[in-house]
Amino acid sequence: MSQFKTVRGMRDFLPEEAKIMKYIEEKARRVAELYGYQEIITPVVESYELLAAKTGEEIRSRMFAFRDLGDRMVALRPEFTASVARLVATTLKNEPKPLRLFSVGSVYRYDEPQRGRYREFWQSNYELMGSDKPEADAEILMLTNSLMKSVGLRNYTFKVGHVGVLRGIMTEENLDEKTQNAVMQLMDKKMYDEALNLVKDSGTKEDCIITLQKLVELKGGDVFDTVKRMRECVGGYKKAEDAVENLYKILKLVSESESKIAFMVDAGFARGLEYYTGMIFEVIVPEIDIALGGGGRYDRLIELFGGEPTPAVGVAHGIDRIMLAMQTQKIPMEKREENRVVVIPTKEEFVGRAMEISRRLREASIPTEVEVMGRKIAKALEDADRRRIKYAIIVGEKELKEGAVVIRDLIKREQKIVKLEKIIEEII
Ligand code: AMP
C-alpha cells in the first residue's frame, strides 16, 4: 500500500466528475460567447502584493503565499479579478471600452475543507470594464442567470445588496476606511452586533446606529417594496440615497428584461472582498446553503493598480459548487449523442491495423479507444459494456481477408460486417 494521498483540501476528479466539471465549463464558455466576453488566460502565480492589495483580510489571511527561488513574494491566485484588473491597468490600458473579459480556471484559498468548500476550486469569471451604468450591472446578473439556467438548476435565488448604502452612511459619519472594512467583514460573517459595536466605538451618534440597525434587519419580501423601505431608512444620507437609487435602477432593468430572476434584497448584505463599491450579489440554492457564485461592482480597483479610473463590474461562479448543486438536485447533463468506439484486435498481428482504424475514427471526431490489454474478445467486450461504449470494432482474420471488420452495436446487441472504407459512415 502506498502512503501517498492528496494534500488536505485538494481533490482528484475521476472521469465522471471531471466530465461534469468540463460540461459546466463548456456552458460557461458558451455564456461568455453569447454575451460577447473574450477569454483570457492569466497566471496561477501572481505577486503577493497584487493579490493582497484589495481582497480583504478574510481572503488575504488564507492565501497560499510563499517565496519563490528568486526571493519574490508570490501567491497562488485566490480569485481572478486582481489579475484581470492588473491587465486592464497595464497591457490593455488603451483598449477601447467597454472591455468584456472571461476567464476560467483553478483558484486557491486555505479555507477549512467541508462540503462545497475546498482549497483548490474552479471558477468561471466575467468582468465588464469601462461602464458605470446600471445596464452593466444588470448584464452581469443576467449572464449569471443564463449560466445557472443552462445547466438546468432550479429554485435558486439571487441575494442582492449595495455596498454604497452602508459605506455611504459610514463615510458621511467620517468613519475611516480601515474601520469601514472591519465593519463590512463582520457584517459578511453575519456578526451584526459586533459590527454595530465597532461603529459605536468610533464615536458615531446614536441616530446613525439606529439607522444601521434598521438596515441590517431589512431583507426579503417584495423586491421593490424592500428597496422603497431602504430609501426611507437612509433618508438624509445623500451617498446612501444615491446607492439605493442605483440598486433600484439595476433591479428595474433586470425586471424589464423579463429574465425572471428570483431576487432577495438584503440591505445589510456585505461580501468578504474589500474592493466592492456598488451592487453586490450571490446566487444561492436552498438545498445547499452556500453561494454558487458572487460578484458586484468595483469602480476603484484599476485606478488603485495604477491604471486610468475605470468603473467595472464582475462575477465569479464556483464550478465545483454548481456541480454539487446539480448532483443534489439530481440534474443530469444534457445527453450528447456520442458514438464512442473501442477497437479490438483478435490477434497481435492485427494491432497495427487496429491503430490505423482508431486514427481514422479520431480524425473524423469519433472518440475511440484501442484494446491495449491484449484481452480476448469476450473480456474486452465485457469491459466496453461496463464503460457504456457504443460500438466495438472487432478486427479479425476472416473479415480482414475480405477487407472488412465486424462492427458490434453494444446497445442494440447486433453486429454486422463492414468494409474498411465504410467504417466511418457506418458509425457517424
Ligand atoms: P468569491 O470570489 O469569494 O466571491 O467567490 C465566488 C464563488 O466561488 C463563490 O460564490 C463560490 O461558488 C466559489 N467559492 C468560494 N470559495 C470556495 C471554496 N473554498 N470552495 C469551493 N468554491 C468556493
Side-chain angles (χ1 to χ4, degrees):
M1 263 302 254
S2 164
Q3 78 277 29
F4 291 126
K5 52 182 191 196
T6 55
V7 170
R8 185 165 156 78
M10 305 287 162
R11 295 154 298 156
D12 296 314
F13 291 90
L14 300 184
E16 204 165 303
E17 290 206 318
K19 200 168 170 180
I20 307 178
M21 294 290 282
K22 288 294 152 191
Y23 171 80
I24 301 167
E25 187 178 319
E26 248 173 60
K27 293 283 182 191
R29 198 167 268 119
R30 179 72 186 139
V31 166
E33 240 170 54
L34 285 172
Y35 282 78
Y37 286 66
Q38 289 187 296
E39 184 163 356
I40 52 169
I41 301 172
T42 58
V44 172
V45 177
E46 293 267 15
S47 82
Y48 175 80
E49 212 185 334
L50 172 95
L51 297 174
K54 265 293 185 183
T55 63
E57 195 42 44
E58 175 69 20
I59 292 180
R60 195 157 37 234
S61 64
R62 293 176 187 273
M63 275 204 273
F64 280 84
F66 55 97
R67 278 192 191 283
D68 73 5
L69 294 180
D71 206 29
R72 297 171 198 90
M73 195 57 198
V74 297
L76 305 184
R77 62 183 175 203
E79 49 130 13
F80 283 99
T81 306
S83 304
V84 184
R86 168 182 59 69
L87 263 181
V88 174
T90 56
T91 320
L92 299 178
K93 68 170 183 288
N94 296 323
E95 285 293 303
K97 305 293 183 303
L99 258 178
R100 290 184 169 94
L101 299 171
F102 165 72
S103 319
V104 60
S106 55
V107 297
Y108 302 83
R109 295 181 196 172
Y110 207 81
D111 279 334
E112 203 39 47
Q114 49 188 278
R115 191 168 125 96
R117 192 174 296 282
Y118 317 104
R119 291 184 177 171
E120 178 185 53
F121 56 99
W122 274 257
Q123 287 187 335
S124 56
N125 186 87
Y126 306 71
E127 311 285 354
L128 171 45
M129 311 276 195
S131 168
D132 61 0
K133 299 248 177 298
E135 43 271 43
D137 304 66
E139 176 173 305
I140 291 291
L141 291 165
M142 285 166 66
L143 75 77
T144 297
N145 183 50
S146 296
L147 178 62
M148 301 300 158
K149 221 164 132 176
S150 74
V151 296
L153 287 178
R154 297 180 296 262
N155 303 333
Y156 53 87
T157 23
F158 279 51
K159 179 163 132 182
V160 61
H162 199 297
V163 173
V165 178
L166 297 174
R167 285 203 188 257
I169 294 173
M170 291 192 282
T171 305
E172 289 193 28
E173 292 289 339
N174 295 319
L175 254 72
D176 62 79
E177 199 182 322
K178 204 162 151 247
T179 314
Q180 286 192 23
N181 291 345
V183 172
M184 298 304 267
Q185 293 280 343
L186 288 169
M187 292 237 181
D188 182 36
K189 290 192 193 134
K190 300 195 168 51
M191 297 164 73
Y192 300 115
D193 291 342
E194 290 84 346
L196 291 177
N197 281 337
L198 200 60
V199 181
K200 227 183 264 176
D201 292 346
S202 317
T204 311
K205 56 180 190 282
E206 190 58 29
D207 278 5
C208 170
I209 308 288
I210 293 170
T211 303
L212 289 175
Q213 179 81 50
K214 273 197 211 148
L215 277 175
V216 164
E217 285 162 12
L218 189 51
K219 63 183 77 168
D222 174 75
V223 172
F224 291 103
D225 188 47
T226 310
V227 174
K228 192 166 144 250
R229 281 163 45 215
M230 272 171 89
R231 200 181 275 131
E232 287 159 9
C233 194
V234 301
Y237 289 101
K238 178 74 177 61
K239 283 195 167 82
E241 282 176 350
D242 290 348
V244 176
E245 191 52 32
N246 178 243
L247 181 61
Y248 169 76
K249 283 186 182 155
I250 295 164
L251 292 171
K252 184 140 184 298
L253 286 174
V254 178
S255 153
E256 283 171 1
S257 78
E258 297 184 11
S259 294
K260 307 227 178 325
I261 298 176
F263 281 111
M264 199 276 276
V265 175
D266 181 348
F269 183 27
R271 305 201 65 233
L273 295 158
E274 228 162 63
Y275 49 64
Y276 289 121
T277 57
M279 181 277 295
I280 50 169
F281 73 101
E282 265 174 15
V283 185
I284 304 192
V285 287
E287 292 89 345
I288 53 168
D289 195 22
I290 40 176
L292 302 188
R297 172 166 287 282
Y298 54 99
D299 283 347
R300 286 197 290 273
L301 192 61
I302 295 152
E303 198 178 339
L304 201 99
F305 288 173
E308 291 292 313
T310 311
V313 53
V315 61
H317 307 125
I319 295 180
D320 314 65
R321 289 193 187 169
I322 294 176
M323 172 165 78
L324 192 61
M326 286 173 69
Q327 290 166 333
T328 312
Q329 293 191 346
K330 299 200 172 13
I331 294 167
M333 288 188 283
E334 273 165 16
K335 278 217 172 49
R336 273 172 301 179
E337 212 21 82
E338 254 193 356
N339 296 340
R340 286 167 65 212
V341 176
V342 60
V343 188
I344 309 169
T346 55
K347 277 189 181 165
E348 205 178 317
E349 58 189 285
F350 304 140
V351 173
R353 176 54 69 146
M355 299 303 244
E356 182 268 333
I357 294 170
S358 70
R359 179 195 53 78
R360 275 200 288 138
L361 285 162
R362 292 187 198 109
E363 280 178 6
S365 296
I366 301 166
T368 306
E369 295 165 31
V370 175
E371 165 57 33
V372 292
M373 306 291 282
R375 288 176 292 206
K376 294 253 177 321
I377 301 178
K379 276 274 171 234
L381 285 178
E382 203 180 293
D383 183 51
D385 234 8
R386 184 179 61 79
R387 290 185 301 125
R388 296 172 196 276
I389 286 179
K390 185 155 183 218
Y391 294 108
I393 298 181
I394 301 159
V395 188
E397 190 158 17
K398 193 166 124 241
E399 291 79 19
L400 263 190
K401 275 200 186 121
E402 319 271 310
V405 290
V406 172
I407 297 189
R408 186 174 169 81
D409 185 322
L410 297 172
I411 294 166
K412 294 193 191 135
R413 306 201 166 269
E414 301 165 354
Q415 65 182 48
K416 56 172 138 179
I417 295 168
V418 177
K419 290 278 181 208
L420 285 169
E421 63 275 13
K422 301 262 187 211
I423 292 177
I424 289 172
E425 41 191 287
E426 181 63 32
I427 283 171
I428 283 178

